[in-house]
Amino acid sequence: MKKYNGFKKLKTAIFISGKGSNFNNLIKFSFKKNSPIKIELLITNNYKAKGLKFAKKYRIRKKIYKYQDKFKTEKKIISDLKKNKIKVICLAGFMKVLSKNFIKNFRGKILNIHPSLLPKYKGLNTHERAIKNKDKISGCTVHFVNSKIDSGKIIMQKKVRIFKTDTPKTLKNRILRQEHMLYPKAIQKVFSSL
Ligand code: GRF
């Protein structure tokens, strides 16, 4: 297994809008010797995001943006990322779509996790839709980010069975547990060679 010292790890920014369970999980992963990333910065568009508490707990620098004007906000974010020498970005429940111009600045360096087996169920309410359609299997996907929503190249997926008794909430929680295992694996897969 490849091991990294603190200096060799890639400076990483995590983008969130909500609870931040993936953020918390990635922080813990980043402390491990086999993690290629070191989390330097938390970016959010939501000053009420519950996940902000993890930035406080682990003393990770945070930036909150109002996002009144997308173009201006992205310009500011890019400048803050460059100032902090950020090399890779992991989106984890970030509810804004990044523009083509933004992505151009970090081509092949932005990942996202999505709670469905893409290309099925892009966008919101994935668990409700899977249950409504009587699917037997759902899951989660880590993919590269492009400017179309949930459409970039797929890196890894994990299937999760849907039970007859599932509600969107029970399914969400079961998939979330798998997300926490999948995201670190996908990060290792694509960023270990950088
Ligand atoms: C996860 O289900 C993730 O797949 C999606 O947004 C949710 C974020 O959850 N993109 P959390 O904030 O990490 O708990």
Side-chain angles (χ1 to χ4, degrees):
M1 187 188 286
K2 203 165 166 181
K3 294 196 173 157
Y4 301 84
N5 65 38
F7 295 107
K8 280 193 182 158
K9 291 190 179 193
L10 296 162
K11 290 186 196 281
T12 301
I14 311 289
F15 287 35
I16 69 165
S17 298
K19 216 169 76 182
S21 74
N22 277 287
F23 172 43
N24 185 31
N25 181 62
L26 289 182
I27 296 172
K28 289 181 187 154
F29 166 65
S30 73
F31 294 148
K32 295 188 178 162
K33 283 219 165 69
N34 64 351
S35 159
I37 62 163
K38 178 175 191 292
I39 298 171
E40 291 276 331
L41 196 59
L42 172 71
I43 303 274
T44 186
N45 63 312
N46 177 12
Y47 75 98
K48 284 184 177 161
K50 292 213 173 90
L52 281 165
K53 68 173 183 244
F54 301 117
K56 191 166 183 209
K57 180 169 174 193
Y58 293 101
R59 294 167 190 262
I60 291 167
R61 196 173 308 143
K62 63 169 192 299
K63 291 266 178 192
I64 303 168
Y65 302 87
K66 277 198 187 138
Y67 250 97
Q68 275 160 345
D69 174 309
K70 181 167 164 136
F71 179 74
K72 281 189 193 151
T73 306
E74 284 195 346
K75 219 172 143 197
K76 181 87 187 58
I77 298 177
I78 292 169
S79 140
D80 287 336
L81 293 171
K82 302 245 152 140
K83 244 185 252 162
N84 285 279
K85 301 192 164 46
I86 297 299
K87 297 286 180 272
V88 302
I89 294 170
C90 297
L91 309 183
F94 185 60
M95 303 304 282
K96 297 281 177 188
V97 180
L98 298 170
S99 72
K100 256 192 195 141
N101 174 61
F102 184 99
I103 292 161
K104 202 176 71 198
N105 280 271
F106 289 89
R107 205 181 283 290
K109 305 288 177 352
I110 312 176
L111 307 190
N112 181 42
I113 187 150
H114 183 75
S116 77
L117 293 175
L118 290 172
K120 231 178 172 182
Y121 307 130
K122 296 173 184 178
L124 297 175
N125 305 320
T126 57
H127 311 304
E128 283 85 343
R129 288 190 276 161
I131 289 175
K132 207 169 166 200
N133 286 342
K134 301 198 180 349
D135 291 357
K136 293 204 165 56
I137 305 272
S138 186
C140 46
T141 303
V142 178
H143 62 94
F144 287 107
V145 172
N146 64 17
S147 57
K148 288 195 198 121
I149 193 159
D150 302 325
S151 297
K153 187 170 174 246
I154 291 171
I155 299 162
M156 284 180 122
Q157 295 186 304
K158 174 77 187 173
K159 289 182 183 159
V160 173
R161 181 159 300 169
I162 304 178
F163 301 122
K164 285 213 173 90
T165 49
D166 264 325
T167 63
K169 194 165 173 221
T170 57
L171 181 59
K172 176 182 164 199
N173 289 336
R174 216 160 55 254
I175 290 179
L176 207 49
R177 281 202 290 280
Q178 295 304 323
E179 291 184 29
H180 295 165
M181 289 188 264
L182 191 70
Y183 215 168
K185 275 191 204 161
I187 288 171
Q188 269 170 330
K189 185 174 172 190
V190 294
F191 291 149
S192 285
S193 54
L194 290 189

